[in-house]
Amino acid sequence: MLNKYPLWKNLLILFVLLLSCVFALPNLYPSDPVVQVSGASASATVDDELLTQMKRALEQSGIPFLALEISNGSALARLSDSETQLKAKDSIRAALSSDYVVALNLAPTTPQWLRALGASPMNLGLDLRGGVHFLLEVDMDKALEPRSLAYVEEIRDGLRAEGIRYRAARSLDQGNIQIKFSEEAERDKGMAWLKNQFQEFLFQRSGSGENLYIDLQLAPAKLKEIQDYAVMQNLTALRNRVNELGVAEPLVQKQGANRIVVELPGVQDTAEAKRIIGRTASLEFRLEDYEHDARAAASGLVPSGSELFAFKGYGGGAPVMVYKKVIVTGDRVVGAQSNFDENGQPMVSITLDGKGGKMMNRATRDNVGRRMAVIFVEHKEDPVSRERYVEKYAINVATIQSALGHNFRITGLDNVQESKELALLLRAGALAAPMYFVEERTVGPSLGQENIDAGIMSVMLGFALVLVFMLAWYKVFGLFANLALVMNVVVLIAVMSLIPGATLTLPGIAGIVLTVGMAVDANVLIFSRIKEELKNGLTPQAAINAGYERAFVTILDANITTLLVALVLFAAGTGPVKGFAVTLSIGILTSMFTAIMGTRALVNAVYGGRPLKKITI
């Protein structure tokens, strides 16, 4: 047996190796510590004038910097080290207005020719890069409130349309609803109609005499559906808000049934990070109360069916009086774009989902010419007493031009910046339920660098020990295994760099260390098999072929079982566990390629194609 690979297989291995070297190369260029300045609102511009302000602030403070540039809509000040970075951040923040968000970050120094090929370094996790970590809890009781109130309105309208007499309908806790009747016959009619129209509820009669009730309780499946929707809607809204503000490689993911993890690498100030996340709030569209004077009500009594709100949007203004009844909440908005109307005035085009469009049309078709207000509802928590409260104010009031539906527009805006601001808020998505911070922590960039140094040291130490052992024990074949091991690490780093969502964390480095040890397992099995075949009397060429062929099934079985465990860890785990699972999974796949095909190609190149009397193994 000649043990020769066909040309295409050798070319394939060479191509994979060269490609891996190119895409792993950016990781040799360390990132520069930078101070990143982004606009906190649509009206804040990032331009050369901003760079001049940053330069002046740094020079006045005597802080040296490498470069000032604009990248992806943010201004960057490149610095030499993390200590200078912290001083520069304080200096720049003091020089700029509150229209800008100043944060710590890292900027790659990858050469242009590599960037042109699409090569970039691996994304670093919070524990390696530094940043802030938040754990937010979704208020599930509040998530049910708007749905419950909407159901009550539908039930009232439906009972009136059917001519069924009832005394009251009200919303209770946990999304439950109670309807009061005074006559048994009317309650029976109501029960029949409700069961036909609202199949997502469980129904029960209660009361006696003239106090007869129908109690509606959301079915467990529907209750879970609403709660899951609230978490997913909040998740989407948070991701959109973080992406709109340009935070590099953020992590926003669900944890458990009602919690969301937000990690912002490169950001060190928790107060600034909360501002980047955006207001944990929702929107309400309500009709303005045209029957009463808002200014007069501000100093006196507010009518029972109305509410008075301060107008804080875009510079403030006169108070706004609106009816308590909510037309549509912001969770029904599926699209928002800033544009201009036929008169060249700024406006915002709104797109609602199907149900939201019907609700909006029903509320506005008889109110053309009247004004509609957008109410911003913010749920807050006092940092000291932990007491929760709600803050509401109007951010926009506009005239209804015609009966509205799925698509409509908000006009009457003062300028383009105002329309962009409102569109951004709506496009990012309102929260389906309020959220509260239950945990927050900061990882400093110096600690992140210590983690990187310790991780690199562990990889190098493990790597060196494996190289020495394999070379001492298997001689020339050990050299082949060592070259394949180097190739495995290069391919692993290249794959991690190529996958957009892959992030290297400290547990991920542990996965690489484990992969280094596991990568030679396949070669140990193959080389041991070759030794056995030589003892059984086979020729060297036959022993080499038999060793690779007969050990393959064992190698495949061992790696598949480990890969299955890694996939389970990835699916069930969160945070650090996932980071470990990602590098372990990729490492298993790359090690199978390099250990089986890589070493075989090297063995074939050295020993193949010629008769052998002896091999050193």
Side-chain angles (χ1 to χ4, degrees):
M1 295 183 183
L2 297 180
N3 287 315
K4 293 291 288 184
Y5 264 164
L7 179 62
W8 70 266
K9 194 172 285 190
N10 286 320
L11 290 176
L12 173 64
I13 295 171
L14 188 62
F15 174 75
V16 170
L17 182 58
L18 289 175
L19 200 65
S20 298
C21 288
V22 170
F23 284 96
L25 197 57
N27 294 283
L28 296 179
Y29 296 89
S31 298
D32 284 336
V34 300
V35 175
Q36 175 180 306
V37 180
S38 306
S41 64
S43 59
T45 57
V46 177
D47 52 17
D48 291 336
E49 185 179 345
L50 176 61
L51 291 181
T52 303
Q53 289 179 281
M54 293 169 62
K55 181 179 179 181
R56 190 182 304 118
L58 292 173
E59 289 176 344
Q60 289 176 353
S61 302
I63 299 173
F65 58 91
L66 302 177
L68 290 169
E69 61 188 64
I70 295 177
S71 176
N72 298 322
S74 297
L76 302 180
R78 291 180 179 264
L79 303 148
S80 57
D81 53 66
S82 58
E83 186 175 342
T84 307
Q85 183 189 31
L86 292 172
K87 294 177 182 177
K89 179 190 175 185
D90 295 335
S91 176
I92 291 173
R93 177 188 284 166
L96 299 180
S97 67
S98 58
D99 292 335
Y100 297 96
V101 175
V102 183
L104 302 180
N105 214 326
L106 293 172
T109 58
T110 309
Q112 181 58 43
W113 69 273
L114 281 173
R115 289 204 295 266
L117 294 173
S120 59
M122 283 184 290
N123 296 328
L124 299 181
L126 194 71
D127 49 3
L128 299 181
R129 189 174 191 174
V132 291
H133 165 96
F134 294 114
L135 182 62
L136 299 99
E137 185 174 88
V138 180
D139 190 334
M140 288 304 184
D141 290 336
K142 294 290 183 182
L144 295 170
E145 272 187 19
R147 290 294 187 95
S148 181
L149 292 172
Y151 276 128
V152 169
E153 290 296 327
E154 287 186 45
I155 289 171
R156 285 172 179 167
D157 293 343
L159 290 175
R160 290 193 197 103
E162 294 294 321
I164 301 172
R165 295 191 301 274
Y166 71 98
R167 294 181 62 181
R170 60 176 181 147
S171 171
L172 305 176
D173 294 336
Q174 295 293 317
N176 298 331
I177 297 171
Q178 188 177 71
I179 307 170
K180 185 178 181 180
F181 297 84
S182 56
E183 299 178 13
E184 186 68 42
E186 294 299 318
R187 183 170 71 168
D188 291 341
K189 290 179 187 177
M191 177 69 84
W193 180 81
L194 288 167
K195 283 186 175 181
N196 183 55
Q197 297 294 322
F198 299 92
Q199 299 178 6
E200 60 267 40
F201 282 94
L202 303 175
F203 301 91
Q204 185 176 352
R205 290 181 171 88
S206 62
S208 60
E210 293 185 355
N211 297 316
L212 303 172
Y213 300 97
I214 296 179
D215 298 313
L216 287 75
Q217 181 181 3
L218 280 169
K222 185 64 178 179
L223 190 64
K224 185 177 183 302
E225 178 189 325
I226 294 173
Q227 293 176 339
D228 288 345
Y229 171 80
V231 174
M232 294 309 297
Q233 171 69 13
N234 285 12
L235 199 63
T236 302
L238 282 178
R239 282 174 179 157
N240 290 339
R241 291 178 182 185
V242 169
N243 291 338
E244 290 271 4
L245 291 175
V247 179
E249 291 106 36
L251 172 68
V252 184
Q253 67 181 18
K254 180 181 177 183
Q255 185 178 86
N258 64 336
R259 291 187 171 186
I260 295 176
V261 173
V262 179
E263 291 186 352
L264 305 177
V267 181
Q268 298 300 317
D269 192 322
T270 56
E272 295 291 349
K274 287 181 180 179
R275 194 176 305 170
I276 291 173
I277 290 173
R279 296 163 174 159
T280 53
S282 58
L283 297 177
E284 295 176 353
F285 292 85
R286 300 200 203 181
L287 287 175
E288 185 181 31
D289 183 353
Y290 65 95
E291 298 175 325
H292 301 92
D293 185 1
R295 292 183 184 274
S299 56
L301 295 175
V302 179
S304 59
S306 302
E307 285 186 87
L308 187 70
F309 295 110
F311 188 78
K312 294 186 178 180
Y314 320 111
V320 180
M321 178 91 73
V322 297
Y323 292 112
K324 286 184 177 180
K325 184 177 179 180
V326 178
I327 301 171
V328 176
T329 55
D331 62 323
R332 295 293 177 188
V333 176
V334 294
Q337 293 294 329
S338 174
N339 214 321
F340 297 93
D341 62 16
E342 57 275 7
N343 299 318
Q345 297 300 310
M347 69 172 190
V348 177
S349 300
I350 305 293
T351 303
L352 300 176
D353 61 13
K355 189 172 182 179
K358 292 177 182 178
M359 294 163 68
M360 180 63 75
N361 181 266
R362 191 164 56 238
T364 60
R365 61 193 172 196
D366 298 326
N367 293 290
V368 175
R370 290 176 55 189
R371 300 206 304 168
M372 181 173 64
V374 181
I375 308 299
F376 200 86
V377 185
E378 190 163 14
H379 297 262
K380 294 185 174 182
E381 185 177 60
D382 187 280
V384 179
S385 65
R386 313 302 293 181
E387 183 181 350
R388 297 175 179 180
Y389 61 96
V390 179
E391 184 177 289
K392 296 185 179 184
Y393 53 88
I395 62 170
N396 178 261
V397 182
T399 303
I400 300 171
Q401 303 283 355
S402 60
L404 307 178
H406 302 290
N407 299 291
F408 62 95
R409 60 186 185 177
I410 295 178
T411 59
L413 304 174
D414 292 335
N415 50 55
V416 176
Q417 286 74 24
E418 183 178 333
S419 66
K420 287 182 178 179
E421 187 80 28
L422 183 59
L424 186 149
L425 179 63
L426 294 172
R427 186 169 59 250
L431 300 178
M435 294 189 299
Y436 302 100
F437 291 90
V438 296
E439 179 188 333
E440 58 183 69
R441 65 174 183 266
T442 303
V443 179
S446 57
L447 178 59
Q449 188 59 47
E450 288 176 12
N451 290 338
I452 293 175
D453 294 340
I456 291 175
M457 179 59 68
S458 64
V459 172
M460 291 177 64
L461 185 60
F463 201 81
L465 290 173
V466 170
L467 292 180
V468 170
F469 173 80
M470 292 300 292
L471 193 59
W473 194 260
Y474 291 108
K475 305 296 189 285
V476 177
F477 277 77
L479 178 62
F480 297 152
N482 289 344
L483 291 173
L485 185 59
V486 173
M487 191 192 331
N488 176 58
V489 174
V490 172
V491 175
L492 172 59
I493 292 174
V495 173
M496 287 287 292
S497 301
L498 276 170
I499 299 176
T503 301
L504 182 67
T505 60
L506 192 60
I509 292 179
I512 294 176
V513 176
L514 180 60
T515 300
V516 167
M518 293 177 60
V520 294
D521 283 355
N523 290 129
V524 170
L525 288 171
I526 293 168
F527 298 162
S528 298
R529 189 74 188 189
I530 292 173
K531 279 180 159 183
E532 291 179 7
E533 298 299 340
L534 287 172
K535 289 179 180 178
N536 291 336
L538 290 183
T539 64
Q541 291 286 10
I544 290 172
N545 186 70
Y548 276 96
E549 293 292 334
R550 295 174 184 176
F552 177 76
V553 175
T554 305
I555 295 167
L556 185 65
D557 178 64
N559 282 280
I560 284 178
T561 52
T562 309
L563 183 61
L564 288 174
V565 173
L567 292 176
V568 170
L569 287 175
F570 180 82
T574 58
V577 177
K578 271 194 174 181
F580 176 79
V582 167
T583 52
L584 182 60
S585 302
I586 297 173
I588 289 170
L589 297 175
T590 57
S591 65
M592 286 188 66
F593 173 78
T594 56
I596 297 173
M597 293 188 66
T599 57
R600 184 71 185 269
L602 291 170
V603 170
N604 290 349
V606 174
Y607 293 117
R610 59 190 177 90
L612 296 172
K613 293 183 179 180
K614 184 181 179 182
I615 54 175
T616 306
I617 184 168

PDB file of all heavy atoms in Angstrom, residues 143-152 177 218 222 225-226 229 331-332 355:
ATOM      1  N   ALA A 143     -47.609  43.075  32.982  1.00  0.00           N
ATOM      2  CA  ALA A 143     -47.726  42.589  31.602  1.00  0.00           C
ATOM      3  C   ALA A 143     -49.156  42.199  31.270  1.00  0.00           C
ATOM      4  O   ALA A 143     -49.597  42.309  30.120  1.00  0.00           O
ATOM      5  CB  ALA A 143     -46.794  41.398  31.387  1.00  0.00           C
ATOM      6  N   LEU A 144     -49.895  41.743  32.287  1.00  0.00           N
ATOM      7  CA  LEU A 144     -51.274  41.304  32.063  1.00  0.00           C
ATOM      8  C   LEU A 144     -52.274  42.456  32.072  1.00  0.00           C
ATOM      9  O   LEU A 144     -53.369  42.338  31.536  1.00  0.00           O
ATOM     10  CB  LEU A 144     -51.669  40.278  33.131  1.00  0.00           C
ATOM     11  CG  LEU A 144     -50.905  38.948  33.102  1.00  0.00           C
ATOM     12  CD1 LEU A 144     -51.210  38.139  34.350  1.00  0.00           C
ATOM     13  CD2 LEU A 144     -51.275  38.154  31.865  1.00  0.00           C
ATOM     14  N   GLU A 145     -51.891  43.572  32.695  1.00  0.00           N
ATOM     15  CA  GLU A 145     -52.835  44.689  32.851  1.00  0.00           C
ATOM     16  C   GLU A 145     -53.400  45.210  31.536  1.00  0.00           C
ATOM     17  O   GLU A 145     -54.618  45.301  31.374  1.00  0.00           O
ATOM     18  CB  GLU A 145     -52.177  45.829  33.629  1.00  0.00           C
ATOM     19  CG  GLU A 145     -52.330  45.707  35.125  1.00  0.00           C
ATOM     20  CD  GLU A 145     -51.806  46.930  35.858  1.00  0.00           C
ATOM     21  OE1 GLU A 145     -51.659  48.002  35.218  1.00  0.00           O
ATOM     22  OE2 GLU A 145     -51.533  46.812  37.062  1.00  0.00           O
ATOM     23  N   PRO A 146     -52.559  45.590  30.540  1.00  0.00           N
ATOM     24  CA  PRO A 146     -53.127  46.128  29.302  1.00  0.00           C
ATOM     25  C   PRO A 146     -54.003  45.137  28.560  1.00  0.00           C
ATOM     26  O   PRO A 146     -55.031  45.518  27.981  1.00  0.00           O
ATOM     27  CB  PRO A 146     -51.888  46.515  28.484  1.00  0.00           C
ATOM     28  CG  PRO A 146     -50.760  45.771  29.083  1.00  0.00           C
ATOM     29  CD  PRO A 146     -51.095  45.614  30.524  1.00  0.00           C
ATOM     30  N   ARG A 147     -53.624  43.853  28.587  1.00  0.00           N
ATOM     31  CA  ARG A 147     -54.449  42.836  27.936  1.00  0.00           C
ATOM     32  C   ARG A 147     -55.795  42.714  28.633  1.00  0.00           C
ATOM     33  O   ARG A 147     -56.843  42.617  28.000  1.00  0.00           O
ATOM     34  CB  ARG A 147     -53.727  41.478  27.944  1.00  0.00           C
ATOM     35  CG  ARG A 147     -52.529  41.407  27.023  1.00  0.00           C
ATOM     36  CD  ARG A 147     -52.941  41.503  25.557  1.00  0.00           C
ATOM     37  NE  ARG A 147     -51.822  41.268  24.669  1.00  0.00           N
ATOM     38  CZ  ARG A 147     -51.536  40.106  24.125  1.00  0.00           C
ATOM     39  NH1 ARG A 147     -52.294  39.046  24.384  1.00  0.00           N
ATOM     40  NH2 ARG A 147     -50.515  39.978  23.316  1.00  0.00           N
ATOM     41  N   SER A 148     -55.751  42.724  29.960  1.00  0.00           N
ATOM     42  CA  SER A 148     -56.983  42.595  30.733  1.00  0.00           C
ATOM     43  C   SER A 148     -57.922  43.770  30.475  1.00  0.00           C
ATOM     44  O   SER A 148     -59.132  43.596  30.279  1.00  0.00           O
ATOM     45  CB  SER A 148     -56.648  42.486  32.218  1.00  0.00           C
ATOM     46  OG  SER A 148     -57.805  42.338  32.984  1.00  0.00           O
ATOM     47  N   LEU A 149     -57.372  44.993  30.472  1.00  0.00           N
ATOM     48  CA  LEU A 149     -58.186  46.184  30.214  1.00  0.00           C
ATOM     49  C   LEU A 149     -58.775  46.157  28.802  1.00  0.00           C
ATOM     50  O   LEU A 149     -59.920  46.568  28.583  1.00  0.00           O
ATOM     51  CB  LEU A 149     -57.345  47.442  30.406  1.00  0.00           C
ATOM     52  CG  LEU A 149     -56.900  47.727  31.848  1.00  0.00           C
ATOM     53  CD1 LEU A 149     -55.923  48.889  31.887  1.00  0.00           C
ATOM     54  CD2 LEU A 149     -58.117  48.033  32.727  1.00  0.00           C
ATOM     55  N   ALA A 150     -57.974  45.672  27.839  1.00  0.00           N
ATOM     56  CA  ALA A 150     -58.475  45.576  26.458  1.00  0.00           C
ATOM     57  C   ALA A 150     -59.613  44.569  26.366  1.00  0.00           C
ATOM     58  O   ALA A 150     -60.619  44.800  25.671  1.00  0.00           O
ATOM     59  CB  ALA A 150     -57.339  45.181  25.522  1.00  0.00           C
ATOM     60  N   TYR A 151     -59.477  43.448  27.089  1.00  0.00           N
ATOM     61  CA  TYR A 151     -60.553  42.451  27.110  1.00  0.00           C
ATOM     62  C   TYR A 151     -61.834  43.051  27.709  1.00  0.00           C
ATOM     63  O   TYR A 151     -62.943  42.805  27.217  1.00  0.00           O
ATOM     64  CB  TYR A 151     -60.130  41.227  27.924  1.00  0.00           C
ATOM     65  CG  TYR A 151     -59.312  40.214  27.163  1.00  0.00           C
ATOM     66  CD1 TYR A 151     -58.092  39.754  27.662  1.00  0.00           C
ATOM     67  CD2 TYR A 151     -59.764  39.691  25.961  1.00  0.00           C
ATOM     68  CE1 TYR A 151     -57.336  38.816  26.974  1.00  0.00           C
ATOM     69  CE2 TYR A 151     -59.015  38.743  25.264  1.00  0.00           C
ATOM     70  CZ  TYR A 151     -57.809  38.320  25.774  1.00  0.00           C
ATOM     71  OH  TYR A 151     -57.074  37.395  25.090  1.00  0.00           O
ATOM     72  N   VAL A 152     -61.683  43.827  28.782  1.00  0.00           N
ATOM     73  CA  VAL A 152     -62.848  44.441  29.424  1.00  0.00           C
ATOM     74  C   VAL A 152     -63.585  45.353  28.440  1.00  0.00           C
ATOM     75  O   VAL A 152     -64.822  45.329  28.353  1.00  0.00           O
ATOM     76  CB  VAL A 152     -62.420  45.226  30.685  1.00  0.00           C
ATOM     77  CG1 VAL A 152     -63.574  46.089  31.197  1.00  0.00           C
ATOM     78  CG2 VAL A 152     -61.968  44.268  31.778  1.00  0.00           C
ATOM     79  N   ILE A 177     -61.069  38.725  35.083  1.00  0.00           N
ATOM     80  CA  ILE A 177     -62.130  39.709  34.826  1.00  0.00           C
ATOM     81  C   ILE A 177     -63.397  39.266  35.541  1.00  0.00           C
ATOM     82  O   ILE A 177     -63.704  38.067  35.611  1.00  0.00           O
ATOM     83  CB  ILE A 177     -62.387  39.849  33.308  1.00  0.00           C
ATOM     84  CG1 ILE A 177     -61.130  40.385  32.607  1.00  0.00           C
ATOM     85  CG2 ILE A 177     -63.571  40.770  33.028  1.00  0.00           C
ATOM     86  CD1 ILE A 177     -61.219  40.361  31.102  1.00  0.00           C
ATOM     87  N   LEU A 218     -58.014  33.591  32.888  1.00  0.00           N
ATOM     88  CA  LEU A 218     -57.235  33.190  31.725  1.00  0.00           C
ATOM     89  C   LEU A 218     -56.764  31.744  31.871  1.00  0.00           C
ATOM     90  O   LEU A 218     -56.285  31.338  32.934  1.00  0.00           O
ATOM     91  CB  LEU A 218     -56.013  34.100  31.553  1.00  0.00           C
ATOM     92  CG  LEU A 218     -56.256  35.465  30.892  1.00  0.00           C
ATOM     93  CD1 LEU A 218     -55.022  36.339  31.047  1.00  0.00           C
ATOM     94  CD2 LEU A 218     -56.608  35.301  29.424  1.00  0.00           C
ATOM     95  N   LYS A 222     -52.950  30.305  27.781  1.00  0.00           N
ATOM     96  CA  LYS A 222     -53.037  31.692  27.325  1.00  0.00           C
ATOM     97  C   LYS A 222     -52.218  32.611  28.242  1.00  0.00           C
ATOM     98  O   LYS A 222     -51.564  33.554  27.774  1.00  0.00           O
ATOM     99  CB  LYS A 222     -54.497  32.148  27.301  1.00  0.00           C
ATOM    100  CG  LYS A 222     -54.708  33.540  26.726  1.00  0.00           C
ATOM    101  CD  LYS A 222     -54.311  33.602  25.259  1.00  0.00           C
ATOM    102  CE  LYS A 222     -54.565  34.966  24.671  1.00  0.00           C
ATOM    103  NZ  LYS A 222     -54.159  35.027  23.244  1.00  0.00           N
ATOM    104  N   GLU A 225     -48.719  32.249  27.303  1.00  0.00           N
ATOM    105  CA  GLU A 225     -48.488  32.887  26.005  1.00  0.00           C
ATOM    106  C   GLU A 225     -48.288  34.399  26.160  1.00  0.00           C
ATOM    107  O   GLU A 225     -47.385  34.985  25.563  1.00  0.00           O
ATOM    108  CB  GLU A 225     -49.672  32.611  25.082  1.00  0.00           C
ATOM    109  CG  GLU A 225     -49.571  33.270  23.720  1.00  0.00           C
ATOM    110  CD  GLU A 225     -50.854  33.150  22.919  1.00  0.00           C
ATOM    111  OE1 GLU A 225     -51.529  32.103  23.046  1.00  0.00           O
ATOM    112  OE2 GLU A 225     -51.198  34.102  22.193  1.00  0.00           O
ATOM    113  N   ILE A 226     -49.132  35.029  26.985  1.00  0.00           N
ATOM    114  CA  ILE A 226     -49.021  36.476  27.209  1.00  0.00           C
ATOM    115  C   ILE A 226     -47.709  36.816  27.910  1.00  0.00           C
ATOM    116  O   ILE A 226     -47.023  37.780  27.562  1.00  0.00           O
ATOM    117  CB  ILE A 226     -50.224  36.987  28.027  1.00  0.00           C
ATOM    118  CG1 ILE A 226     -51.518  36.836  27.214  1.00  0.00           C
ATOM    119  CG2 ILE A 226     -50.034  38.437  28.441  1.00  0.00           C
ATOM    120  CD1 ILE A 226     -52.776  37.160  28.001  1.00  0.00           C
ATOM    121  N   TYR A 229     -44.830  36.364  25.548  1.00  0.00           N
ATOM    122  CA  TYR A 229     -44.824  37.471  24.586  1.00  0.00           C
ATOM    123  C   TYR A 229     -44.222  38.727  25.213  1.00  0.00           C
ATOM    124  O   TYR A 229     -43.457  39.449  24.572  1.00  0.00           O
ATOM    125  CB  TYR A 229     -46.238  37.761  24.099  1.00  0.00           C
ATOM    126  CG  TYR A 229     -46.328  39.031  23.273  1.00  0.00           C
ATOM    127  CD1 TYR A 229     -45.969  39.037  21.940  1.00  0.00           C
ATOM    128  CD2 TYR A 229     -46.744  40.232  23.853  1.00  0.00           C
ATOM    129  CE1 TYR A 229     -46.027  40.197  21.192  1.00  0.00           C
ATOM    130  CE2 TYR A 229     -46.804  41.394  23.116  1.00  0.00           C
ATOM    131  CZ  TYR A 229     -46.444  41.373  21.781  1.00  0.00           C
ATOM    132  OH  TYR A 229     -46.491  42.527  21.050  1.00  0.00           O
ATOM    133  N   ASP A 331     -46.834  48.470  22.057  1.00  0.00           N
ATOM    134  CA  ASP A 331     -46.466  47.125  21.634  1.00  0.00           C
ATOM    135  C   ASP A 331     -47.160  46.707  20.349  1.00  0.00           C
ATOM    136  O   ASP A 331     -46.841  45.667  19.769  1.00  0.00           O
ATOM    137  CB  ASP A 331     -46.751  46.103  22.750  1.00  0.00           C
ATOM    138  CG  ASP A 331     -48.218  46.024  23.118  1.00  0.00           C
ATOM    139  OD1 ASP A 331     -48.878  47.073  23.110  1.00  0.00           O
ATOM    140  OD2 ASP A 331     -48.694  44.919  23.424  1.00  0.00           O
ATOM    141  N   ARG A 332     -48.135  47.521  19.875  1.00  0.00           N
ATOM    142  CA  ARG A 332     -48.812  47.249  18.607  1.00  0.00           C
ATOM    143  C   ARG A 332     -48.071  47.870  17.424  1.00  0.00           C
ATOM    144  O   ARG A 332     -48.429  47.638  16.279  1.00  0.00           O
ATOM    145  CB  ARG A 332     -50.251  47.789  18.643  1.00  0.00           C
ATOM    146  CG  ARG A 332     -51.150  47.082  19.657  1.00  0.00           C
ATOM    147  CD  ARG A 332     -51.394  45.655  19.264  1.00  0.00           C
ATOM    148  NE  ARG A 332     -52.194  44.941  20.259  1.00  0.00           N
ATOM    149  CZ  ARG A 332     -52.405  43.645  20.219  1.00  0.00           C
ATOM    150  NH1 ARG A 332     -51.869  42.900  19.268  1.00  0.00           N
ATOM    151  NH2 ARG A 332     -53.129  43.058  21.155  1.00  0.00           N
ATOM    152  N   LYS A 355     -54.443  43.752  14.803  1.00  0.00           N
ATOM    153  CA  LYS A 355     -55.380  44.094  15.864  1.00  0.00           C
ATOM    154  C   LYS A 355     -55.257  45.565  16.250  1.00  0.00           C
ATOM    155  O   LYS A 355     -56.257  46.244  16.493  1.00  0.00           O
ATOM    156  CB  LYS A 355     -55.125  43.205  17.085  1.00  0.00           C
ATOM    157  CG  LYS A 355     -56.195  43.328  18.156  1.00  0.00           C
ATOM    158  CD  LYS A 355     -56.008  42.285  19.246  1.00  0.00           C
ATOM    159  CE  LYS A 355     -57.110  42.383  20.288  1.00  0.00           C
ATOM    160  NZ  LYS A 355     -56.952  41.368  21.349  1.00  0.00           N
TER     161      LYS A 355
END
